[in-house]
Amino acid sequence: MQDLEIYIRDLKSGAVSGWLESHLDELKLDDSEVKSVVKGLARYQGELLRIALYPGAFGKRFTSLVIEGERLPWRSDLDCARSAWRAMNTEIRCSPGDWKEGEPVEEEKWWRLDHRGEQQVVWN
């Protein structure tokens, strides 16, 4: 099982499903109102994907999007973030790479994609 995780600032109603429907098949995700955790399903190259939105990540303005499956439409969190940014035109952040659940988090830099371009920043 692989996963992709990005953080979307000021998520607008329907933005995630609007973006993902052009990349995935059989998308079932109701993101019309994301006030609590929203879960959905889709297919990519015939493989089932689990999709989850977690509002209030890293403060109230960001929503975490997690996509899990055997085969994913993007090779990395950064590739996924780039696609999301082009579609949603709002700030997107993601981990720079190889961090795994359970490892210590240091003064880690995150990718920030917005109208200023792509930069590695400390999250605060």
Side-chain angles (χ1 to χ4, degrees):
M1 183 72 63
Q2 303 176 63
D3 74 334
L4 296 167
E5 184 170 12
I6 63 171
Y7 298 85
I8 305 160
R9 185 177 179 145
D10 300 330
L11 180 64
K12 298 203 177 6
S13 175
V16 172
S17 59
W19 161 56
L20 289 178
E21 67 188 3
S22 64
H23 297 281
L24 304 175
D25 299 316
E26 301 174 37
L27 178 65
K28 293 177 180 74
L29 180 70
D30 181 2
D31 62 336
S32 57
E33 203 171 352
V34 182
K35 292 188 176 183
S36 60
V37 175
V38 173
K39 295 195 175 193
L41 298 170
R43 291 201 176 273
Y44 180 71
Q45 296 181 347
E47 297 285 336
L48 186 65
L49 298 180
R50 290 194 311 263
I51 302 164
L53 292 165
Y54 301 95
F58 285 97
K60 301 209 180 302
R61 297 191 72 176
F62 284 88
T63 299
S64 169
L65 165 66
V66 179
I67 304 172
E68 297 175 303
E70 292 302 322
R71 247 186 234 130
L72 301 170
W74 299 279
R75 290 183 334 224
S76 68
D77 291 349
L78 184 56
D79 287 342
C80 181
R82 286 174 175 143
S83 177
W85 186 82
R86 283 191 298 272
M88 294 185 228
N89 197 26
T90 187
E91 183 178 325
I92 308 287
R93 293 191 183 192
C94 69
S95 168
D98 298 335
W99 181 83
K100 302 278 188 255
E101 192 73 40
E103 288 182 357
V105 176
E106 298 165 10
E107 189 71 3
E108 184 175 323
K109 298 262 185 181
W110 295 79
W111 281 108
R112 179 183 68 203
L113 289 73
D114 63 13
H115 66 279
R116 295 167 286 194
E118 295 180 16
Q119 299 174 324
Q120 285 202 327
V121 297
V122 174
W123 195 310
N124 53 355

